[in-house]
Amino acid sequence: VIRLGRRGEEGDAPRPLLVQLNGCLPKNLIMENLSKLKNAEKKYKKVIVSHDMTKNKEKAVGLWWKRPK
């Protein structure tokens, strides 16, 4: 883990947590094992994990998926 921090303003509502990892391998291992959260304790079932990309990266990835085969 390179950086760990909360996003958004403090309050009673849950806030997103931003975790920056030091490479693709740790991130891919985490993403591959997300299905194990389904069998986790009740308090962990509300955890949502997603890729955090800039708008430009989202567009680039979206275009890559839409390329003709």
Side-chain angles (χ1 to χ4, degrees), residues 2-21:
I2 293 175
R3 190 172 75 185
L4 183 67
R6 291 277 193 186
R7 306 283 307 244
E9 295 183 15
E10 290 189 36
D12 293 335
R15 295 185 306 158
L17 181 68
L18 178 65
V19 179
Q20 185 177 3
L21 301 170

Side-chain angles (χ1 to χ4, degrees), residues 5-6 9 11 19 25-26 35 48 51 54 60-61 63:
R6 291 277 193 186
E9 295 183 15
V19 179
L25 184 61
S35 62
I48 299 171
H51 297 279
T54 64
V61 170
L63 293 175

Side-chain angles (χ1 to χ4, degrees), residues 27-28 31 49-53 58:
K27 182 192 81 161
N28 289 339
M31 299 306 270
V49 180
S50 65
H51 297 279
D52 186 29
M53 293 188 260
E58 284 180 5

Side-chain angles (χ1 to χ4, degrees), residues 30-64:
I30 291 170
M31 299 306 270
E32 288 172 4
N33 288 297
L34 287 176
S35 62
K36 293 180 181 179
L37 281 176
K38 292 179 185 176
N39 300 324
E41 295 176 40
K42 187 178 180 180
K43 65 181 178 180
Y44 296 116
K45 290 191 179 207
K46 293 183 179 181
V47 173
I48 299 171
V49 180
S50 65
H51 297 279
D52 186 29
M53 293 188 260
T54 64
K55 293 290 183 187
N56 289 338
K57 275 191 177 181
E58 284 180 5
K59 286 181 184 178
V61 170
L63 293 175
W64 179 81

